[in-house]
């Protein structure tokens, strides 16, 4: 960037501009560059803030989805345990009549 300014200054000198005009033009260019750098920094800061916000939102969604999955798994495990108890109770009921019949047949 500075080499461009030096080349620009050299071209102005050759074209007959005075030293004061050249200094004013360089100062104006430097102000423009400083303003552009400030704008770039602001944009980068905004992008970093947005990235952090998106990352936070993503993490919250993952935690929410994980909690929902855990609830579903817990509900399914409870249902499985309930069905296993029912099956065992049904097996016990089926086994009792056979025991009663075998005692009565003796």
């Amino acid at each position: 960037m500075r080499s461009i300014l030096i080349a620009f200054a050299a071209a102005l000198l050759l074209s007959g501009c005075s030293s004061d005009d050249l200094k004013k033009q360089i100062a104006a260019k430097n102000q423009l560059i400083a303003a552009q750098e400030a704008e770039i920094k602001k944009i980068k800061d905004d992008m970093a803030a947005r990235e952090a916000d998106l990352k936070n939102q993503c993490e919250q969604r993952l935690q929410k989805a994980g909690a929902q999955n855990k609830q579903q798994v817990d509900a399914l495990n409870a249902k499985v345990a309930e069905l296993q108890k029912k099956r065992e109770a049904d097996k016990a009921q089926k086994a009792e009549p056979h025991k009663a019949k075998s005692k009565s047949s003796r």
Side-chain angles (χ1 to χ4, degrees):
M1 186 54 105
R2 296 203 187 276
S3 62
I4 294 172
L5 288 176
I6 293 170
F8 179 71
L12 288 176
L13 274 176
L14 292 175
S15 66
C17 291
S18 71
S19 168
D20 290 337
D21 290 341
L22 185 59
K23 286 180 183 178
K24 287 178 185 178
Q25 289 178 356
I26 290 174
K29 293 285 184 183
N30 285 339
Q31 285 180 337
L32 179 62
I33 290 169
Q36 289 173 340
E37 287 174 348
E39 185 66 23
I40 290 169
K41 183 182 180 326
K42 182 181 177 286
I43 291 169
K44 284 182 179 180
D45 291 346
D46 289 347
M47 287 174 54
R50 179 69 176 146
E51 181 181 5
D53 184 46
L54 289 173
K55 190 174 185 179
N56 187 32
Q57 287 179 12
C58 184
E59 186 63 33
Q60 288 176 350
R61 288 178 184 164
L62 285 172
Q63 288 176 354
K64 183 178 178 182
Q68 288 174 340
N69 286 345
K70 186 180 182 316
Q71 286 178 333
Q72 290 173 345
V73 167
D74 290 345
L76 289 172
N77 284 339
K79 185 71 172 176
V80 167
E82 179 185 325
L83 291 172
Q84 285 177 340
K85 285 181 185 178
K86 184 178 179 186
R87 186 172 72 183
E88 289 174 8
D90 288 347
K91 278 184 181 180
Q93 281 183 345
K94 287 180 182 178
E96 285 179 16
H98 291 298
K99 288 181 182 178
K101 285 183 184 178
S102 64
K103 285 182 182 179
S104 63
S105 64
R106 288 186 187 175

